[in-house]
Amino acid sequence: MIKKTPQQIAMDGEPLLKDVLKDVGRHLDQPMRRAFLQRSLSLGGLSLLSGCAIVDESSVEKALLKVSRFNDKVQAWLFDPNRLAPTYPDSMITRPFPFNAYYGEDEIREVAEDSYRLEVTGLVADQHAWTLAELRAMPQADQVTRHICVEGWSAIGKWGGVPFASFLRRVGADLGAKYVGFKCADDYYTSIDMATALHPQTLLALTYDGQPLPPRYGFPMKLRMPTKLGYKNPKHIQAIFVTNTYPGGYWEDQGYNWFGGS
């Protein structure tokens, strides 16, 4: 009898895991997934899934990270770039729409409109810095969609701005690149997959409920993606870059699921 290594077992089990995670993959992207995995999997089971030997806290962290990254791949595999998130009438807008950030409302960043410039770098042909006037001059779209927070609450809001796919094409972005990253005035940062960046409902939001985006919702611009959980929607965006190098993210680098589909 040939004894297989944990890595070989994990590779053999991958097709089966894809079938299982097709049903449960979305639930594994919650921040409490660590507790879920630790409580629902034996150490031997975690070793099987990850191909890692579980001997201490460091190896547990490594194993959980491998499972999370595998979950990212499954979610990307399941993602339909043509499937639209539900939209709602204005009468269903949540008023007031909740404030959410990794800091309190008394720490909201103030960005000066006159001096604001959006930096665009990486795998793009046109790397000039964009003013708000230039962004507002582009064709705009509105959407009334639901924001879903990883903490368990949701709210419906009305966002307006530039379809992100149109902006990426305008700047000559490499649409075959893997990632689009964002850096923000509040020191937040995150990144998304190109398929989500090109989704028809992904928006560079410049307005909320028909008015210029207020500071509490991300002035001068936030990325609005109804196909992603709230922490994937950065506010106060200052820089956008296109890359094939994994950029990570503020919460993702602390263990949150990277794909973050809602």
Side-chain angles (χ1 to χ4, degrees), residues 37-58:
L37 286 168
Q38 289 177 326
R39 291 171 184 170
S40 62
L41 293 173
S42 67
L43 292 183
L46 190 55
S47 298
L48 173 63
L49 288 174
S50 65
C52 297
I54 308 300
V55 294
D56 54 25
E57 180 64 24
S58 175

Side-chain angles (χ1 to χ4, degrees), residues 62-164:
K62 183 178 179 181
L64 289 173
L65 180 61
K66 280 198 172 186
V67 173
S68 180
R69 292 294 171 257
F70 180 68
N71 184 40
D72 285 333
K73 293 179 180 179
V74 173
Q75 289 192 60
W77 175 57
L78 294 173
F79 180 71
D80 184 348
N82 299 309
R83 183 177 180 180
L84 300 181
T87 57
Y88 305 89
D90 286 11
S91 61
M92 292 185 67
I93 294 174
T94 303
R95 303 182 190 280
F97 190 88
F99 166 80
N100 66 297
Y102 70 98
Y103 46 82
E105 286 194 61
D106 59 338
E107 299 177 90
I108 292 174
R109 306 306 196 267
E110 297 288 342
V111 179
E113 179 172 348
D114 292 344
S115 60
Y116 174 78
R117 298 292 184 274
L118 173 66
E119 296 180 8
V120 182
T121 60
L123 303 176
V124 297
D126 180 1
Q127 297 194 9
H128 91 271
W130 288 68
T131 65
L132 278 175
E134 289 178 301
L135 292 166
R136 290 166 177 164
M138 290 189 66
Q140 310 284 300
D142 291 318
Q143 61 174 251
V144 181
T145 51
R146 185 181 297 277
H147 171 104
I148 301 175
C149 182
V150 72
E151 295 174 342
W153 59 267
S154 69
I156 295 172
K158 183 175 184 178
W159 313 92
V162 181
F164 196 32

